[in-house]
Amino acid sequence: MFGTQQRGVNAYAKVGLETGIVSASPHKLIVMLYDGALVAVLSAQVHMKSGNVPEKGKSISKAIQIIDNGLRASLDKEAGGQIAEGLDALYEYMSARLLAANIRNDLGMLEEVQRLLTDLRETWNAIGATPAAMPGADLKRMPSLASA
């Protein structure tokens, strides 16, 4: 009549995630995409080490989807200029490395992408701590930033 406890936990987690997405700032959404990609890559590593080929493939596919359809799709190349172009190339590289890691069963490639994602996430978080990146920041009222 009531289903399993795990389904209830999964439903609760899904509601929590959806609520977090709706209330998140654009900056926080990018952090969430990095987190999701990292979890997928780490999961792929575990499955690769244990020889679970189907789950490894699912995890790698999920990481590629997050990178391509989340991180790359969110880039504004006009406003972002060279930085956005560089990130686009890096995201493309990471997706290609993930695909190659899946085909070759290469743990080193997964670890490389994990390091890149971790570095990008840490950098993005550091940017988020600046006053200009905070929600409601008004550069006109911050003379030191407005003149920069």
Side-chain angles (χ1 to χ4, degrees), residues 37-139:
L38 279 165
V39 167
V41 170
L42 291 169
S43 176
Q45 290 174 3
V46 168
H47 293 305
M48 185 179 284
K49 288 176 185 175
S50 70
N52 189 341
V53 176
E55 291 302 316
K56 173 199 73 168
K58 285 180 189 176
S59 295
I60 289 174
S61 293
K62 184 175 183 177
I64 291 171
Q65 281 187 313
I66 292 169
I67 291 169
D68 287 347
N69 299 329
L71 294 167
R72 278 185 85 187
S74 70
L75 292 173
D76 183 346
K77 293 180 189 171
E78 285 184 32
Q82 289 181 335
I83 293 173
E85 291 292 337
L87 282 171
D88 185 58
L90 185 57
Y91 293 150
E92 183 177 5
Y93 172 79
M94 287 191 287
S95 291
R97 294 297 280 178
L98 288 169
L99 184 60
N102 193 24
I103 293 168
R104 297 179 187 156
N105 213 41
D106 189 321
L107 188 60
M109 289 180 184
L110 290 179
E111 291 168 345
E112 175 189 13
V113 172
Q114 177 193 349
R115 285 189 301 272
L116 290 169
L117 287 167
T118 299
D119 289 347
L120 287 168
R121 184 190 185 284
E122 288 173 3
T123 302
W124 191 254
N125 270 334
I127 291 168
T130 62
M134 292 181 186
D138 185 356
L139 294 179

